[in-house]
Amino acid sequence: MEKKDSAKEDFIVIRIQKSRKDEWKRKCLEKKISLSSLIVNSVENRLQDNERREILEFIEKQDNIFIKIETNINQVAKIANNQKFIRANELQRFSELLVEVVSLKQKQNKILERIYSLLSK
């Protein structure tokens, strides 16, 4: 059985303007990825490592926010059922969380659109 070697075996030399190379390196620094990763993933239409990290961070944040919202919805319902009214500050906090949900859903949709567009190529 032949063992598959995943070591880098070859290299590509390209000629570009120094300013363009510097710009690519700057982008890599911002995204915290290597220049090789930027080029290979771009050519192969794959998600960049930084995009994967953003997606995972977003999903984690979204889960935490939804847990808080579920807890607050239950608290608001309990208060409303017991007291037959809701204080203004509680209703304000509840409204703020709902606004945050809308924002997260919009962000989620943009990320999913990006994923789908990358997968369809």
Side-chain angles (χ1 to χ4, degrees), residues 3-116:
K3 190 174 183 181
K4 195 172 189 176
D5 186 18
S6 63
K8 299 173 186 172
E9 297 176 5
D10 208 349
F11 62 94
I12 297 173
V13 177
I14 60 173
R15 292 173 51 141
I16 60 172
Q17 295 172 331
K18 171 125 174 61
S19 60
R20 180 173 278 174
K21 179 183 175 186
D22 292 341
E23 178 65 19
W24 288 5
K25 283 185 167 186
R26 186 189 61 75
K27 286 182 181 183
C28 290
L29 276 174
E30 287 175 4
K31 295 179 177 191
K32 298 179 184 169
I33 58 175
S34 68
L35 186 54
S36 294
S37 177
L38 175 72
I39 294 169
V40 170
N41 290 334
S42 296
V43 169
E44 295 179 357
N45 289 324
R46 296 189 318 202
L47 286 174
Q48 300 289 344
D49 293 340
N50 68 308
E51 292 171 324
R52 282 189 195 92
R53 284 191 302 268
E54 286 177 13
I55 290 168
L56 292 174
E57 287 171 10
F58 172 76
I59 291 169
E60 185 177 321
K61 180 181 178 185
Q62 184 177 359
D63 286 345
N64 291 337
I65 295 295
F66 285 130
I67 289 169
K68 288 179 185 177
I69 290 169
E70 289 170 6
T71 301
N72 282 313
I73 288 172
N74 289 335
Q75 289 172 347
V76 169
K78 184 177 178 180
I79 291 167
N81 286 333
N82 290 336
Q83 298 178 358
K84 306 299 181 205
F85 72 94
I86 300 172
R87 285 185 240 145
N89 63 340
E90 292 167 342
L91 187 58
Q92 176 64 31
R93 178 69 181 138
F94 182 74
S95 296
E96 290 169 1
L97 289 171
L98 290 177
V99 168
E100 192 167 355
V101 167
V102 170
S103 173
L104 286 170
K105 285 293 182 185
Q106 290 171 342
K107 189 174 180 182
Q108 176 188 25
N109 290 341
K110 288 179 183 177
I111 290 171
L112 291 175
E113 285 174 10
R114 173 89 171 120
I115 292 168
Y116 290 140

